[in-house]
Amino acid sequence: MEWGEALVDSLLAVLMACVGLLPESMATPFEYQFMQRALLTSIVVGLVCGVLSCFVVLKRWALLGDAISYAVLPGVAIAYLLGWPFFVGAFIAGALTSLGIGFIERTTRIKSDTAIGIMFTAAFALGVVIIGKIATSTHLMHILFGNVLGVDKGALLLTLVAGVIALLAVLLGYKALFAYAFDEIHAQALGLNTAAIHYGLILLLTLTIVASLETVGIILVVAMLIIPGATAYLLTDRLSRMIGLAALCGVLSTVIGLYLAYYFDLASGGAMVLVAAGLFLLSLLLAPRHGLLARFWQWRVAS
C-alpha cells in the first residue's frame, strides 16, 4: 500500500499549501498531522454526502438512509471479532440489507416502508446481540459516534477511494439518475433499466455511509445525507445547481464543524451536523423563492 500512502501524502501536501494561504490564526490547528488528516477526510465526506443527499431528498429516501446506517452495525461488530477492517464488514452488511429492502419492495406486495422496517430492525438487533457478546466496545463506540480526529492514513485512503467511486458514478450516470430521480415511469419509457439504477443508487448510498463511518459515525451520517440536499432543495429548482450547492453545504458543514470541535472541545460529528442544521435554518428563512421570509412577503403583496 505504499502507493496509497504516497497518494495520501501528496493530497495532504496540496491541502496544506492551500491552508497556508489562510491567516495564521485560522491555519494554526493544522500544524498537527492528525488535524491535517481530519480536514482532508472531512472535505471528502462532506463533498460525497452532499452530492448523494440530493438524490436521497428527491427520492424521499431519508428513512432508507437511516435504515442502512444502522444496518451496518452487525457488519462492524463481525469485522471487529474477525479482525477485519471495519469498512469491509460495514459495506457487506449495508449492501446486503439495502439489496434485501429493494428485493422485498420490488418482488412482493410489501411496501417500501414495511420492507425497510423489517430489514432495519432485524439487522440492528443482530448487531446489538453481537456487541453484547464483545468484552470491550470502545472501538465500536467510535463507529457509532465518529472519531475524525483519530483517522489514520489507511482509513483516509479508503474514504478517498470510496468517494472517488461515488462521484465518478454520479458523473457518468448523471442523465440516467436525473430521469430516475424526477420520474421513474418516464425513465422506463426512455428505455432505461430503472431496476439497475435503483440498486446502483442504493449501493452508492451504502458506500457513502460506510466511507463516512469514522468521520461522523453511524448515528450522525444520516443527517449529513439529508440536510445538505434539503438545504440546496430550498435554494434552487435545477438539479445541477442543487448538487453544487449541496456539495458546498456538506464541505462547509464538515470543515466549520471540525474547527468548532477543535477550539471548543466538542464531539466532531455532532458539531458538523449542527453546522449543517444551522445552514438549513438560514436557507429555510432566507431562500429567495422558497424561504419563509420570501413566502411571507409574497403573501403580504398578494393581500
Side-chain angles (χ1 to χ4, degrees):
M1 295 296 289
E2 292 183 1
W3 66 268
E5 291 191 6
L7 174 62
V8 171
D9 289 338
S10 299
L11 291 174
L12 288 173
V14 172
L15 182 60
M16 288 308 101
C18 297
V19 170
L21 301 176
L22 298 174
E24 185 177 354
S25 58
M26 295 183 64
T28 298
F30 303 107
E31 295 176 352
Y32 307 100
Q33 290 188 355
F34 75 92
M35 284 295 293
Q36 296 173 10
R37 293 192 296 269
L39 177 61
L40 181 56
T41 306
S42 299
I43 291 173
V44 173
V45 169
L47 178 63
V48 178
C49 283
V51 170
L52 284 186
S53 69
C54 296
F55 300 101
V56 172
V57 170
L58 292 174
K59 294 299 295 181
R60 300 181 180 180
W61 279 1
L63 184 58
L64 177 62
D66 191 18
I68 296 174
S69 297
Y70 284 98
V72 303
L73 188 61
V76 171
I78 292 173
Y80 179 82
L81 287 174
L82 298 178
W84 293 356
F86 288 149
F87 186 95
V88 175
F91 182 76
I92 292 174
L96 290 176
T97 302
S98 57
L99 292 176
I101 291 170
F103 178 78
I104 293 173
E105 177 187 356
R106 287 178 169 265
T107 59
T108 71
R109 297 177 60 190
I110 301 299
K111 301 300 182 182
S112 60
D113 58 340
T114 305
I116 290 172
I118 293 170
M119 295 299 295
F120 158 60
T121 52
F124 187 66
L126 177 62
V128 171
V129 169
I130 296 174
I131 289 177
K133 293 295 184 179
I134 298 177
T136 176
S137 59
T138 301
H139 296 291
L140 294 176
M141 287 295 96
H142 290 320
I143 297 299
L144 288 174
F145 298 105
N147 184 31
V148 68
L149 299 181
V151 171
D152 57 22
K153 288 185 178 180
L156 175 52
L157 180 61
L158 284 174
T159 302
L160 285 170
V161 172
V164 169
I165 292 173
L167 292 177
L168 281 177
V170 172
L171 179 63
L172 296 176
Y174 176 78
K175 291 184 178 179
L177 290 172
F178 178 90
Y180 175 75
F182 285 100
D183 192 338
E184 185 173 350
I185 296 177
H186 180 64
Q188 288 178 331
L190 293 174
L192 296 175
N193 187 340
T194 55
I197 298 173
H198 177 84
Y199 288 117
L201 191 53
I202 287 179
L203 286 176
L204 281 181
L205 184 61
T206 304
L207 183 65
T208 303
I209 289 171
V210 173
S212 307
L213 289 181
E214 294 199 33
T215 304
V216 294
I218 291 174
I219 293 175
L220 298 175
V221 69
V222 181
M224 292 305 298
L225 276 169
I226 298 172
I227 298 177
T231 302
Y233 188 64
L234 292 174
L235 296 172
T236 182
D237 296 324
R238 296 185 60 181
L239 180 59
S240 57
R241 292 179 182 174
M242 182 180 175
I243 290 176
L245 289 170
L248 178 61
C249 177
V251 172
L252 287 176
S253 300
T254 53
V255 172
I256 295 174
L258 183 61
Y259 265 105
L260 294 177
Y262 177 83
Y263 282 111
F264 298 102
D265 193 23
L266 304 174
S268 56
M272 293 173 185
V273 175
L274 286 177
V275 173
L279 294 176
F280 172 77
L281 288 177
L282 288 175
S283 177
L284 181 64
L285 289 172
L286 304 176
R289 292 185 59 187
H290 304 293
L292 295 180
L293 293 180
R295 290 193 173 191
F296 176 74
W297 179 255
Q298 293 171 2
W299 175 78
R300 285 291 302 272
V301 171
S303 60

